[in-house]
Amino acid sequence: MIGVAIGGIDASHVAGSFATSDGALAVVERLVSEGPIRWSGAPPAWVCVVLAAALLLGIRAIYRRERVRPRPAVRVLLVTLRLAAIAAVALAFFQPTREIVSRIEEKSRLVLLIDTSASMTTKDRYRPETERALLAALWPEGGPDRRPALLDHARRDLVIAALCGRDAAFLRSLDERFDLDVFAFDQDLRPVASTVPTTPAVAAGGAAQGPPVDAIVEVAKAIRAMKEPSGGERTDLAGALRSVAREYLGRDDRRLAGVLVFSDGRDTSGGPPPAESLVTLGKSATELSTTAIALGDPSLAHNLRVDRIRAKDVILVEDEPSFQAELRHTGFAGVRGVEVRLEIRQIRDANDAALASPRDFTAPDKGWIEPGKGAALVTLGPDDVATAVPPLRATFREAGTYDVAVVARLPAPFASQDAFAEDNTKHVTIRVKDTKIRVLLADDVLRNDSWFLKNILIRTTNHRGDPRRVQSQVWIQQFDREVPQPHGPGVPALRAFPSTRQEIFSYDVIILGDIDWRRLASDEQKSRAILQLMKEFAAEGGGIAFVAGTER
C-alpha cells in the first residue's frame, strides 16, 4: 500500500506520526502448536465397540467360572488391571502419534529513508499549537534531553531529534521487532547503517562501532552536524522508493515489513509524482507499505522557484541563443532586485563523449557570457503568477553538449525565508554543433526580396578567420545563362535547377520565391517530378520557405 501522506507537507502530522507509526507495523511472532493424537493403526469405531463388548463378556465369563470368589474390592482391582493390560497392548497396535510444530519467524526488514537534500535545512515557522505539539513529542518532560524554549530547528534536526532523542527510544523500539536498514537520499539513494546481524553497519568514512542501534545514532548525529547538505541538486523521492521496491520486494531473504520516509515530501527530480512512478513497478508496488513522516507547513512557507525555461535544443557554433525563463513564488510579492543568471558547464565534447569532469563556461576559448546578457534583475509579481525574466544570452564557441542552469537569487533580507532553495535552479541541455547549413534560393527574377536574401546568404564575413556557417546557392530563372549564378564560398554555381533526389536532399533549407514551376526543368513532366521530390523532402524533415511574389 502506498502511503497517501507522500508528497504532502504537514507539520502537525509529525508529532502524531512519531508516536503511532511504529504501532501500525506488523509484529514478529514465535509460534509453537501441538496437534491432536492420531491413531493411524486403529480399526473403525464400530469394530472397537464390538471388541470392547466381547472383551467385557469374556472377562465376566472367566470370573463366573472361578471356584474361589475374591472379595468385591479385590475383584474390581483385578478387573481394572486386566483391562489396562489388554488396553495397553491394543493401543500399541493402534500406533498412536502426535504432531508438534515449532515455527519461528525471523525479523523482517524495515527500511528508513532520511531526506538529506538542501530543503531539509530549512527552518520552518509553525503555528503555536503545532509548535507545542512538536516540542512535547520530541522533548518530553523529564527526559534526558532538555526541552528548548522555542522550536528554532531545521527539518533535518527535527528528524534526528525524533530518532536519537530519549536515548534513541524510538529506534530501539523498532529494533526489537525489525532489522533496520537506514538510507539517506536526495538525488541518489545511499545506504548508511543497518542492524542486520550478518551485515556490519557502515557509516560515512568507515565502519561504525558499538551496538547496531548506536551505529545508526552516530550516523544520524553526523548528518545533523553537517553545515551544508550532503546531497545533490535535486530530491528524487520517487527514485528512492523505486530502488527500495526493486531491492526488497519479491525476495525470501529480505522480507519487507514497510518503509518509513522522513522527508518534506518535495520531489524535485522532474519526473512523475512518487505514487504515479511506483505504478510502473506493476503488482509488486501494492506490497510496498509506506508511511511518510512529513515536515513543514505549506500555508506558512515562502518559496521562489524557476518555473520554466524556453530554449533551443540544438544550435551552431558562434550562435547566441536566448534562454527565456519564468519565475513563480509564494510570499515574495513585490520583492525587487532578484538576480537571475546563467551558469553553464560543458558535459560532453564535440564527439558526444562524456567529459571526465564538467568544464565551467568561463574560459574565453570555451564560451562567453557578455555582462548584462547572461544575468538580469527582476521584480517579482503577485503570488503564483509567472514573472517573465528578460532573455538571457550566451555565445557558444565550441561544439559539445552543455548543461545550462538558470539560477534565481533573492536579495539578502529575503534569501533566508526561502523554504526550498533547491528549486531556485532549473537545468536545460543544449547541443552545439560545428557544421554548415546548405541553403538553396530560387526565384524568377532578382527582385528586391530575393536580392536582399541573396546578399545575406552569400556575403563574405567581415572578420578574418570567422567560420562560415551557411553554404548557399542561388537559381534565378531569368538570369543570363552566360553569367554564373550567384553562390557562396565553398560551393559551385548552379548550371540548372537541382533535379535528382540526391541533389535536392543535400540541402537543409530551400527558399522558393515567385518561380514558374513549369520551367524548373526542360519540360512540364520533369518539373512535376521535381515538385514531387521537394514534397518528399519536406515530409522527411527538410525545411522549405516561401517568399510571396507578384506573379504567382
Side-chain angles (χ1 to χ4, degrees):
M1 178 180 63
I2 303 171
V4 295
I6 293 179
I9 305 176
D10 183 6
S12 62
H13 177 60
V14 178
S17 297
F18 287 147
T20 62
S21 62
D22 59 325
L25 300 173
V27 178
V28 176
E29 296 183 358
R30 182 186 300 266
L31 302 175
V32 177
S33 59
E34 296 183 358
I37 298 177
R38 302 182 183 277
W39 309 90
S40 57
W46 67 271
V47 176
C48 294
V49 173
V50 172
L51 291 176
L55 180 62
L56 290 174
L57 293 174
I59 294 174
R60 183 172 181 275
I62 291 173
Y63 280 106
R64 293 190 62 175
R65 295 170 61 182
E66 289 181 350
R67 295 181 179 179
V68 179
R69 300 179 65 85
R71 290 177 298 173
V74 175
R75 186 186 307 170
V76 171
L77 177 62
L78 292 175
V79 170
T80 302
L81 292 175
R82 287 173 179 173
L83 288 175
I86 294 172
V89 174
L91 292 178
F93 282 107
F94 289 173
Q95 300 177 6
T97 58
R98 186 172 191 175
E99 182 178 307
I100 299 177
V101 178
S102 177
R103 183 177 64 188
I104 299 176
E105 292 188 3
E106 296 183 354
K107 284 185 176 180
S108 56
R109 300 288 186 96
L110 179 64
V111 176
L112 275 64
L113 297 180
I114 301 177
D115 189 346
T116 57
S117 62
S119 62
M120 292 295 286
T121 61
T122 302
K123 293 183 179 181
D124 296 294
R125 295 184 297 116
Y126 299 101
R127 294 184 176 86
E129 61 274 15
T130 302
E131 182 171 338
R132 288 192 295 270
L134 284 170
L135 289 172
L138 300 179
W139 290 276
E141 292 291 349
D145 300 326
R146 183 178 178 182
R147 179 184 294 181
L150 297 174
L151 191 62
D152 185 25
H153 292 70
R155 296 170 182 171
R156 183 177 62 191
D157 296 337
L158 296 180
V159 173
I160 305 308
L163 296 176
C164 304
R166 294 171 290 172
D167 192 27
F170 179 69
L171 280 176
R172 297 186 194 280
S173 66
L174 294 178
D175 183 53
E176 293 177 357
R177 294 171 292 163
F178 304 100
D179 286 330
L180 305 180
D181 287 335
V182 184
F183 294 84
F185 74 94
D186 33 66
Q187 66 182 20
D188 300 311
L189 183 68
R190 304 179 302 280
V192 294
S194 176
T195 62
V196 181
T198 56
T199 305
V202 178
Q209 304 295 327
V213 171
D214 293 341
I216 298 177
V217 171
E218 292 302 319
V219 172
K221 290 181 178 179
I223 293 175
R224 180 173 57 187
M226 291 187 302
K227 295 182 180 180
E228 298 293 336
S230 64
E233 300 167 342
R234 294 178 292 276
T235 304
D236 191 1
L237 176 55
L241 291 173
R242 284 197 306 269
S243 298
V244 170
R246 286 192 295 264
E247 179 68 19
Y248 290 90
L249 295 183
R251 297 183 56 164
D252 295 334
D253 60 332
R254 294 188 180 183
R255 193 170 68 85
L256 184 65
V259 182
L260 204 55
V261 183
F262 297 86
S263 174
D264 54 26
R266 191 171 182 83
D267 189 308
T268 59
S269 62
E276 294 181 12
S277 179
L278 290 177
V279 174
T280 60
L281 298 175
K283 295 182 179 179
S284 61
T286 60
E287 303 174 10
L288 192 66
S289 178
T290 305
T291 301
I293 311 299
L295 298 101
D297 191 334
S299 63
L300 299 176
H302 288 55
N303 183 46
L304 170 68
R305 74 179 188 273
V306 179
D307 189 50
R308 58 185 300 187
I309 304 173
R310 292 191 298 272
K312 295 180 179 179
D313 297 327
V314 181
I315 63 170
L316 298 177
V317 170
E318 298 296 331
D319 277 357
E320 186 186 84
S322 66
F323 300 88
Q324 297 176 315
E326 291 182 356
L327 307 180
R328 288 184 184 270
H329 70 91
T330 302
F332 295 116
V335 173
R336 299 175 179 270
V338 178
E339 181 189 21
V340 185
R341 61 191 305 268
L342 294 177
E343 293 183 358
I344 305 175
R345 297 185 306 170
Q346 185 177 1
I347 56 178
R348 290 182 174 273
D349 62 17
N351 298 320
D352 202 31
L355 300 179
S357 59
R359 291 186 291 188
D360 289 335
F361 192 79
T362 53
D365 59 334
K366 303 303 178 187
W368 180 58
I369 303 179
E370 182 179 352
K373 289 189 176 182
L377 295 177
V378 300
T379 300
L380 297 177
D383 283 13
D384 205 30
V385 174
T387 299
V389 179
L392 307 176
R393 300 181 183 276
T395 303
F396 292 80
R397 295 180 174 175
E398 182 176 298
T401 302
Y402 294 82
D403 175 73
V404 181
V406 175
V407 183
R409 291 190 175 91
L410 288 159
F414 304 98
S416 61
Q417 302 175 20
D418 194 2
F420 306 104
E422 56 188 356
D423 61 1
N424 291 12
T425 302
K426 196 174 186 66
H427 296 258
V428 294
T429 301
I430 188 171
R431 180 77 184 276
V432 181
K433 292 186 176 182
D434 187 4
T435 186
K436 295 179 174 61
I437 297 177
R438 292 202 65 193
V439 180
L440 170 62
L441 170 63
D443 207 341
D444 184 41
V445 296
L446 268 178
R447 52 199 176 91
N448 290 338
D449 294 340
S450 52
W451 181 272
F452 176 77
L453 289 173
K454 183 263 298 183
N455 290 338
I456 289 178
L457 292 172
I458 68 174
R459 68 183 179 183
T460 304
T461 177
N462 295 324
H463 302 283
R464 185 178 180 181
D466 279 4
R468 290 293 305 177
R469 295 301 164 201
V470 178
Q471 290 183 335
S472 57
Q473 292 174 301
V474 180
W475 175 254
I476 305 300
Q477 288 181 314
Q478 298 189 27
F479 215 67
D480 189 344
R481 294 294 180 265
E482 301 298 326
V483 179
Q485 294 275 1
H487 62 93
V491 291
L494 290 175
R495 296 180 178 273
F497 192 89
S499 58
T500 66
R501 180 181 178 87
Q502 181 178 0
E503 290 173 343
I504 291 178
F505 276 72
S506 66
Y507 296 100
D508 297 293
V509 180
I510 298 176
I511 304 174
L512 300 176
D514 197 16
I515 62 171
D516 183 355
W517 67 268
R518 294 177 180 83
R519 294 193 294 114
L520 291 176
S522 58
D523 56 56
E524 185 173 329
Q525 184 178 357
K526 292 181 180 179
S527 296
R528 289 184 183 275
I530 293 175
L531 292 179
Q532 180 61 33
L533 288 174
M534 286 195 288
K535 180 179 179 181
E536 296 174 2
F537 169 77
E540 296 184 23
I544 291 186
F546 296 92
V547 181
T550 59
E551 300 295 332
R552 285 166 283 272

